[in-house]
Amino acid sequence: MKKITAILISILTVVCLIVPVNAYGDSTETVASDAFEIFEGADALLTVDTAAQFNISAKAWLLMDRNTGTVLAAHNEHQRLYPASVTKIMSLLLFSEALDSGKLSYDMTVTCSDTAAAKGGSQIWLEPGETMTVRELMKATAVYSANDACALLGETVAGSEKAFVDMMNERAASLGMNDTQFDNCTGLDDDTETHLTSAYDVALMSRELMKHSSVRDFSTIWMDELRGGKTQLVNTNKLIRTYKGATGLKTGTTTKAGCCISATAQRDGLELIAVILGAPSGKERFAYAKELLDYGFAKYEIYTAEPKLTGEERVKVTHGVESEITVKAGKSGEMLIDKGGKDKITEKTTLLETVEAPVSAGDVVGKTEYFSGETKIGESAVISAQNIEKMTLANALTCIFGAFAKK
C-alpha cells in the first residue's frame, strides 16, 4: 500500500509539470494594473460649479483639488498677470527637487554672493561673504519671502540666477504651465513687462510643490528666527495662524501685481489650493482665499477606494510548488466626490480563476471595480500576497523522496 501511495504521488507530481495552464479555467481574463485608475465616469459623483457666485474682487482666482487637479471654481484663470513673490513657489519646487536628488542638503553651508546680497524688496539683509545653511535659506524664502535668500539658493543650484531662471521655465513647461514666463526667481517686477503667469499655472506649480511633504516644515511656520535670534521671521501668510488646516503656501505683493496668494489647506484627507491674483489689498486677499477654501471644504470630500477583502480569498496556481495563493489589496486610490456621496458607491471584486507559477508577491491577480449606479468610476488591483516557486524537476524529486521517506 505504501508503495502504491508513493507511486501515485510521483505520478501526480509529474502531471503537475505538464498540465495545461487553463486546467482550472481561463487565466487570460483582463485585470487591472498595479495602480489605481479613475475613469471618466467619476464625474458622475462630482458636481463642479465653476459659475458659483463668490464675492471676490480680484483680477483672477481659482480653487483646485490638490489630489486630482480638478478645478472646482475659477474666474479669468488663464489671464496672464504679474505674480509677485508667488513666483517663489517654482523656486521652492526646484530647491525641494535639488534636496531630493542630493544636490543640496539642509546642513550645507552657502556663502552669500554680491548679486544675492544686492536684491531689494523683502529680504533678511544678507551681507556678501556671510554664510548660512540651506535650511536657514529655505526658511527665509518660504516664511519671510526673502529675495536675497531665494536668489542665493538659486545660484547654488544652477550657478547663476539666469541659469536658475532657465531651469524654472523648463520646469514650468514640463508641468503644462502654458501661461507662464519667468524672468527672475523672486517675483520682483520693476524692470520687467514679461514676468507673467496665471491663476491656473500657479495652482499647477503649487500642486507639484505640495507633493514634497518636507516643504510643509517651512510653509506652516508662523514665527521663527535666524542669526541666533537677531533676525525675526513672521510668515507673510496670515492664514497659517488663523485658518484651520492651513498648510501654506506663498504670498506676493507689488504695485504691478497687487496682492496675491496661493493658499493651501487640508482637512479630513481633502487638500485644496486657492489662488488669488490681483486683489486690492492684503486683507481682501486673505478673505478671498478663505472664501474659496470654505466653499471647497463644505461641498466636497475624498473617497478612498481600496478593495474590501475578507482574507479568505484564494487563487489557484498551476505548475507551482503550492496549489493556491493568498491575496491582498493593491494600491488604493482617492476620488473627489460631493460631500455625502460615499453611500452611492458600490464595488465588485473579480479574481483570476488560475495563475501559472512562478508567482511573485505583488503580481496582479484580480481587480476591484467601483461603480456609481451602473457607471464604472474607478478600478484598483488585487495582488498576490506571497511568492510561489515554479515546480521544477528538482522540486518534484524532493516531493517524491519526501513521500517515500514518510512512508
Side-chain angles (χ1 to χ4, degrees), residues 266-334:
Q266 185 171 13
R267 297 179 187 173
D268 300 322
L270 174 62
E271 188 167 13
L272 300 174
I273 302 167
V275 179
I276 305 292
L277 297 182
S281 70
K283 183 177 180 180
E284 289 167 295
R285 158 184 62 192
F286 296 124
Y288 297 156
K290 179 180 181 297
E291 183 178 347
L292 287 174
L293 293 171
D294 284 347
Y295 168 83
F297 287 124
K299 188 173 177 61
Y300 303 104
E301 65 180 325
I302 289 292
Y303 174 77
T304 300
E306 184 175 24
K308 297 177 180 63
L309 303 176
T310 66
E312 300 299 320
E313 292 86 356
R314 299 289 186 273
V315 174
K316 293 179 180 179
V317 179
T318 58
H319 299 168
V321 295
E322 295 184 38
S323 61
E324 61 180 20
I325 55 171
T326 58
V327 302
K328 64 180 182 178
K331 295 176 182 176
S332 62
E334 295 181 339

Side-chain angles (χ1 to χ4, degrees), residues 32-229:
S33 64
D34 186 20
F36 178 75
E37 182 177 2
I38 296 177
F39 287 76
E40 292 182 1
D43 294 341
L45 294 185
L46 186 65
T47 302
V48 178
D49 185 8
T50 55
Q53 295 301 307
F54 295 92
N55 185 28
I56 299 177
S57 298
K59 292 179 181 178
W61 49 265
L62 175 143
L63 178 68
M64 177 182 283
D65 169 48
R66 192 202 68 81
N67 182 61
T68 64
T70 303
V71 175
L72 304 173
H75 172 71
N76 290 339
E77 66 271 29
H78 289 290
Q79 182 179 352
R80 303 185 76 213
L81 298 165
Y82 295 103
S85 283
V86 170
T87 297
K88 294 187 178 77
I89 292 171
M90 179 57 75
S91 299
L92 288 165
L93 173 59
L94 293 180
F95 300 157
S96 297
E97 291 176 344
L99 284 161
D100 289 346
S101 70
K103 190 168 189 177
L104 294 180
S105 68
Y106 283 122
D107 295 329
M108 181 188 298
T109 300
V110 181
T111 302
C112 185
S113 66
D114 292 340
T115 54
K119 290 296 178 183
S122 177
Q123 56 187 296
I124 54 171
W125 306 103
L126 285 169
E127 295 288 342
E130 183 178 3
T131 60
M132 277 196 177
T133 65
V134 168
R135 185 185 304 277
E136 290 172 319
L137 294 170
M138 283 282 287
K139 186 191 302 181
T141 302
V143 176
Y144 199 63
S145 198
N147 294 323
D148 47 1
C150 182
L152 180 54
L153 279 176
E155 292 173 358
T156 304
V157 169
S160 68
E161 182 178 359
K162 182 181 182 303
F164 185 71
V165 172
D166 289 341
M167 290 178 62
M168 293 172 67
N169 285 312
E170 289 173 5
R171 193 68 176 94
S174 74
L175 293 174
M177 294 170 59
N178 300 322
D179 307 321
T180 297
Q181 169 64 45
F182 293 120
D183 292 340
N184 58 64
C185 67
T186 61
L188 292 170
D189 54 25
D190 290 341
D191 59 355
T192 177
E193 301 293 329
T194 56
H195 187 91
L196 302 169
T197 188
S198 66
Y200 180 77
D201 283 6
V202 170
L204 289 182
M205 64 179 177
S206 299
R207 184 183 180 214
E208 192 69 17
L209 176 58
M210 294 308 281
K211 292 178 181 179
H212 297 265
S213 58
S214 60
V215 80
R216 300 165 198 248
D217 295 338
F218 302 104
S219 64
T220 56
I221 293 172
W222 172 237
M223 296 181 68
D224 211 320
E225 60 186 32
L226 296 171
R227 300 183 175 108

